[in-house]
Amino acid sequence: MNILLFGPNGSGKGTQGSLLKDRFHLAHIESGAIFREHISGGTELGKKAKEYMDRGDLVPDEITIPMVLETLKEKGKNGWLLDGFPRNMVQARKLWEAMQNEGMPLDYVVEIHLGRETAKNRIMGRRLCVQDNNHPNNIYIDAIKPAGDLCRVCQGKLVTRADDQDEAAINKRHDIYYDTVNGTLAAAYFFKDLASKGLTKYIELDGAGDINTVKEALIARLG
Ligand SMILES: [Zn+2]
């Protein structure tokens, strides 16, 4: 089973992705990891990508798309879950064309819906337990609200991660994600349109629920 996963930062996409990966034994392929592996592995595409990155330039799609495809073919032989790519409309079209050329099926496209304000709050509301980073706490999610200033599980001290409090960076990422004309949501809608033609299946989930509710809804839809 090959799945594309869309959702804004803060929607629980990473968590749902790893749950799906375990359940269906998929290779969980994240866009950042694709770049890192090609570069550290010294592949031809990785070398080219590094030249752009060293100059501080964006890696062009002519390099990125084949890199993604190669990784899907190598690591995702028995099914893959692609997360964090495509990021925009142009990449969506090019990825689809490349997959068509390879005869690679796209079984499902999953979109996790979450309003922009809620997504931002969820990121900024994350609190890390210093005793155990598997103790989730979030001041904006009722189910995992901290006990006062302390971890709801073990009463450990809570801290924030600098990245989670960088509002400008969050806004920048969300500007790209929520752009329905050229951005990531436009990419998602490209696949939604393909689904309306019967070329793939499109699953929309309400990300406002708790992790387990979203997970159950997703698994029920995947059959
Ligand atoms: Zn704790």
Side-chain angles (χ1 to χ4, degrees):
M1 185 179 339
N2 297 338
I3 307 177
L4 254 184
L5 182 58
F6 288 100
N9 281 94
S11 66
K13 177 169 63 93
T15 307
Q16 297 302 335
S18 55
L19 293 169
L20 274 183
K21 174 197 104 170
D22 292 342
R23 166 100 185 193
F24 297 105
H25 311 291
L26 305 172
H28 191 179
I29 296 171
E30 286 170 292
S31 57
I34 296 176
F35 280 94
R36 284 194 298 277
E37 281 169 23
H38 275 269
I39 289 169
S40 67
T43 67
E44 281 309 308
L45 290 163
K47 281 181 205 159
K48 284 185 200 159
K50 191 168 181 300
E51 285 173 24
Y52 286 90
M53 290 162 90
D54 286 346
R55 291 200 298 263
D57 292 335
L58 279 178
V59 181
D61 291 338
E62 290 65 35
I63 295 170
T64 306
I65 301 282
M67 216 154 66
V68 172
L69 208 69
E70 226 170 76
T71 305
L72 294 178
K73 283 200 295 190
E74 268 174 34
K75 302 207 148 175
K77 280 191 199 81
N78 301 312
W80 48 256
L81 175 78
L82 179 59
D83 180 352
F85 191 90
R87 236 164 247 233
N88 60 51
M89 177 67 179
V90 174
Q91 288 177 340
R93 199 181 312 117
K94 288 181 178 173
L95 177 67
W96 175 248
E97 282 168 9
M99 288 178 67
Q100 294 288 96
N101 290 338
E102 292 284 337
M104 186 185 275
L106 179 59
D107 300 288
Y108 292 99
V109 179
V110 177
E111 184 201 341
I112 304 178
H113 286 276
L114 195 65
R116 184 166 177 164
E117 203 54 38
T118 309
K120 180 156 100 178
N121 282 342
R122 283 188 169 191
I123 297 168
M124 300 192 77
R126 277 180 206 147
R127 297 293 180 268
L128 305 181
C129 172
V130 295
Q131 309 283 354
D132 187 337
N133 54 19
N134 291 314
H135 291 169
N137 286 266
N138 194 309
I139 61 169
Y140 290 113
I141 300 177
D142 285 340
I144 55 170
K145 213 176 264 257
D149 292 336
L150 301 173
C151 173
R152 43 180 267 282
V153 182
C154 73
Q155 269 75 53
K157 194 170 171 284
L158 294 176
V159 293
T160 56
R161 231 177 45 155
D163 281 359
D164 290 344
Q165 304 307 314
D166 186 346
E167 196 172 354
I170 295 167
N171 285 337
K172 206 172 156 193
R173 283 203 300 268
H174 280 167
D175 280 345
I176 298 169
Y177 186 83
Y178 288 99
D179 176 350
T180 55
V181 179
N182 299 307
T184 310
L185 274 182
Y189 298 162
F190 170 81
F191 291 103
K192 193 174 181 175
D193 188 52
L194 292 179
S196 75
K197 295 169 185 149
L199 296 169
T200 185
K201 293 191 192 77
Y202 199 83
I203 297 177
E204 294 177 76
L205 297 170
D206 178 7
D210 66 81
I211 289 172
N212 277 319
T213 310
V214 179
K215 178 193 161 195
E216 292 309 322
L218 181 51
I219 285 171
R221 297 282 301 278
L222 289 170

